[in-house]
Amino acid sequence: MNAAKVPRHVAIVMDGNGRWARLRHRPRSFGHNAGRKAVREVIEGCLRQGVEALTLFAFSSENWQRPEEEVGALMQLFLRALDKEVEELHGHGVRLRFIGELAAFDEALQRRIRAAMARTAGNAKLQLNIAVNYGGRWDVVQAARRAATAVARGELRAEDIDEATLGRWMCLGELPPLDLFIRTGGESRVSNFLLWQLAYAELYFTDTLWPDFDQACLARAIEDYARRERRYGRTGEQVAQA
Ligand code: IPE
Ligand code: IPE
Ligand code: MG
């Protein structure tokens, strides 16, 4: 693939674990566990193809509404995954970040999260962002709050707040803009993922359930992306001349 056509930043809504498990007459947690393999596949695929940043939606601010047993199983899964995978990711030059309202998690999980971020902070091969207790609207709110605090402290004038200022305070503001948004599991919705960051991302929806998503599926999404013409409001003729 022409390197210029590889998205610099890919985000994925990893959906369909529950249905994948139901098809096998197994509990939903079985599907979540199976999803770990797909996570490894996309990380490997991104490293191979030279994607710079990968942002994965693992738990939304709305997912707390699920049955207690499922939420508990997901938390256990996150803990186990952090214990097991961080060293390997570090070995591959992956920098881990977690975005979302982390204070809602129990102390053990928060400690693991902080340790994983600190351990990998010097890596630059792939920026891997895991969105947990994340909501796109929460992200806008926390950026607005930071702007308001800066104004209150006299560090910023309200009239100087523009898209660039606020954009820097949004989660992932320091990373390349989001190029490709992928959602597995057949639903065509954003479900409160990266609202601000999606402004000019290319959207790709697939019926493949998350545990079945592999490097070949990622490659297909990237090929599809490479065929798109990104116009950013201009005409096709203007884009062709540029
Ligand atoms: C996505 O799979 C994983 C999380 C939301 C944590 P789901 O659990 O939503 O799977 P479906 O959509 O019910 O199949
Ligand atoms: C979105 O999936 C959240 C994650 C994949 C973490 P959901 O399964 O929660 O989304 P809805 O409820 O179908 O919109
Ligand atoms: Mg779902």
Side-chain angles (χ1 to χ4, degrees):
M1 164 114 24
N2 176 351
K5 297 282 194 179
V6 173
R8 296 181 68 195
H9 188 168
V10 176
I12 309 181
V13 178
M14 311 185 286
D15 195 25
N17 296 348
R19 281 162 285 165
W20 187 91
R22 195 170 59 205
L23 285 168
R24 288 157 181 81
H25 310 285
R26 301 296 296 270
R28 296 178 58 85
S29 57
F30 182 70
H32 297 315
N33 269 309
R36 276 176 71 174
K37 181 170 161 283
V39 172
R40 281 195 291 270
E41 287 277 319
V42 292
I43 292 170
E44 214 176 303
C46 285
L47 283 165
R48 258 205 201 147
Q49 302 215 39
V51 171
E52 293 169 50
L54 172 65
T55 302
L56 301 175
F57 204 7
F59 192 84
S60 75
S61 37
E62 289 74 29
N63 287 145
W64 295 109
Q65 297 173 71
R66 293 194 177 194
E68 209 178 306
E69 186 189 311
E70 181 173 350
V71 172
L74 280 165
M75 295 302 144
Q76 285 307 313
L77 175 67
F78 296 152
L79 270 175
R80 278 204 308 278
L82 277 166
D83 282 344
K84 275 196 138 175
E85 317 282 355
V86 172
E87 277 315 305
E88 194 181 332
L89 291 170
H90 182 57
H92 283 106
V94 175
R95 176 172 184 176
L96 254 173
R97 278 193 188 82
F98 289 80
I99 59 165
E101 220 173 342
L102 302 178
F105 294 109
D106 76 38
E107 193 41 51
L109 190 49
Q110 285 191 52
R111 223 178 306 118
R112 290 308 203 287
I113 285 175
R114 283 195 298 268
M117 292 202 274
R119 175 83 176 123
T120 60
N123 297 336
K125 187 107 194 285
L126 174 68
Q127 309 289 324
L128 175 61
N129 313 298
I130 312 287
V132 282
N133 193 23
Y134 176 89
R137 288 178 174 172
W138 164 83
D139 196 355
V140 175
V141 168
Q142 66 80 26
R145 206 177 282 143
R146 284 162 77 168
T149 305
V151 171
R153 286 191 185 138
E155 296 160 4
L156 180 71
R157 295 187 316 169
E159 54 271 37
D160 289 337
I161 300 175
D162 56 13
E163 291 185 16
T165 330
L166 210 55
R168 276 195 293 276
W169 276 322
M170 297 294 303
C171 290
L172 315 177
E174 67 277 40
L175 297 180
L178 182 58
D179 291 316
L180 173 61
F181 165 95
I182 299 173
R183 182 170 185 145
T184 64
E187 312 293 355
S188 304
R189 56 177 171 252
V190 171
S191 298
N192 199 18
F193 198 22
L194 306 157
L195 300 178
W196 171 285
Q197 298 84 346
L198 275 166
Y200 263 108
E202 296 295 327
L203 309 183
Y204 180 89
F205 296 97
T206 168
D207 288 337
T208 303
L209 301 172
W210 178 248
D212 292 327
F213 200 81
D214 61 12
Q215 289 191 56
C217 299
L218 177 69
R220 273 197 292 281
I222 291 179
E223 277 160 26
D224 191 276
Y225 165 86
R227 285 193 295 270
R228 311 257 182 113
E229 182 181 62
R230 303 182 79 187
R231 290 192 285 274
Y232 298 98
R234 290 168 299 159
T235 66
E237 289 72 18
Q238 288 175 303
V239 172
Q241 277 161 20

